[in-house]
Amino acid sequence: MSNDAYVLAAEAAVALRELTGVDSFDVALVMGSGWVPAADAIGRTISELSVTDLPGFAPPAVAGHSGRIRAVETESGRKALIFLGRTHLYEGRGVEPVVHGVRTAIAAGVSTVVLTNAAGGLRPETQDVGEPVLISDHINLTGDNPIRGATFIDLTEVYSKRLRELAREVDPSLAEGVYVAFRGPTYETPAEIRMLRTLGGDLVGMSTVLEAIAAREGGAEVLGISLVTNPGAGLVGEPLNHEEVLEVGRATAARMGVLLGKVVNKL
């Protein structure tokens, strides 16, 4: 990223410490569409603020994303930073605002980043709507990358195997899958869904991979969890809509919060 982006993340981290009263954070969680209620189960709220209270953050532009940041103390005493919403590439602000939250968290001391999202399921024959799936790898079809210049980052293991195993200690039923990211905001066509299945994708969405790359650039371990909110276009013959995504998130928020809370306490 540019030097300006580094400076902005550092400035946001300083403001974050001042506004929350927390000197350093251990883990950051980015909550996807419909996941906001799950944050309540993660720990005791120390402080909550609007993202626009910090340098470099834009107000939320998507339903289901509240644009709040919550500082939380978990049951195990860890300090967690919860982003209740995110900036997406399709909003047209460029790639750096998309990853600014992750970079701010790392500048504030975070060494573990948990990225959640709402995703279309590419394998309805084995996936149920409302099922959480661990991200084992990704395919970046956004056409962008948060890293500029000759900075070469190894992505052999973007999503930590250790953290996935830890999550399965909490819930042995958790499946794994490859997440495919498109730029959006349009949902995929049935032909694109067929292509993604052929490429080896299991989940599809419009977020997460750029944040994961930025987290790895910053040296953080990454855990990715997708909530399957609908089958991909053309797989079951039903049209796609954002309200359906949010409704599934609301219906499963309690389970997701318990899962995330237990995982964070094991870190």
Side-chain angles (χ1 to χ4, degrees):
M1 65 175 167
S2 69
N3 287 334
D4 288 346
Y6 278 113
V7 170
L8 197 58
E11 290 175 351
V14 169
L16 182 66
R17 292 187 181 100
E18 292 174 350
L19 292 172
T20 62
V22 178
D23 289 334
S24 184
F25 291 89
D26 304 298
V27 57
L29 300 95
V30 181
M31 311 300 270
S33 298
W35 283 61
V36 170
D40 296 333
I42 293 171
R44 177 183 66 86
T45 299
I46 300 170
S47 177
E48 186 170 317
L49 56 146
S50 170
V51 293
T52 54
D53 292 337
L54 302 179
F57 285 87
V62 184
H65 290 259
S66 74
R68 308 287 294 175
I69 300 175
R70 187 180 296 182
V72 167
E73 184 173 15
T74 70
E75 189 178 305
S76 60
R78 288 172 174 80
K79 299 300 191 298
L81 193 60
I82 304 175
F83 293 89
L84 301 174
R86 55 163 46 101
T87 296
H88 297 78
L89 197 58
Y90 58 70
E91 294 172 36
R93 298 185 172 109
V95 69
E96 289 186 350
V98 172
V99 300
H100 181 57
V102 166
R103 286 173 167 160
T104 296
I106 291 172
V110 162
S111 58
T112 303
V113 175
V114 181
L115 301 172
T116 75
N117 61 56
L122 300 177
R123 312 287 172 182
E125 61 274 16
T126 58
Q127 295 169 338
D128 295 325
V129 169
E131 173 188 354
V133 179
L134 300 174
I135 301 176
S136 59
D137 206 344
H138 73 230
I139 299 172
N140 182 6
L141 295 181
T142 67
D144 216 328
N145 194 300
I147 301 173
R148 296 288 185 258
T151 303
F152 303 108
I153 305 297
D154 177 34
L155 298 183
T156 303
E157 189 178 317
V158 186
Y159 305 91
S160 166
K161 182 179 179 181
R162 182 186 76 86
L163 294 181
R164 298 201 308 273
E165 290 174 349
L166 185 151
R168 275 194 294 271
E169 289 177 13
V170 173
D171 184 350
S173 72
L174 287 170
E176 289 190 355
V178 174
Y179 179 87
V180 185
F182 274 100
R183 189 181 193 93
T186 53
Y187 289 111
E188 302 72 36
T189 67
E192 288 169 336
I193 293 296
R194 293 193 300 272
M195 174 190 73
L196 298 184
R197 282 168 57 96
T198 301
L199 290 175
D202 301 295
L203 307 150
V204 62
M206 306 173 192
S207 68
T208 302
V209 301
L210 302 177
E211 294 158 308
I213 293 168
R216 293 301 299 132
E217 179 196 25
E221 263 192 300
V222 179
L223 176 67
I225 308 177
S226 289
L227 178 66
V228 178
T229 54
N230 55 273
L235 296 179
V236 294
E238 297 292 329
L240 305 179
N241 66 83
H242 189 59
E243 181 53 41
E244 176 187 20
V245 170
L246 297 180
E247 181 55 40
V248 173
R250 286 189 288 265
T252 57
R255 180 189 174 193
M256 294 301 98
V258 170
L259 171 64
L260 291 172
K262 289 181 177 179
V263 169
V264 169
N265 277 320
K266 277 181 164 286
L267 292 174

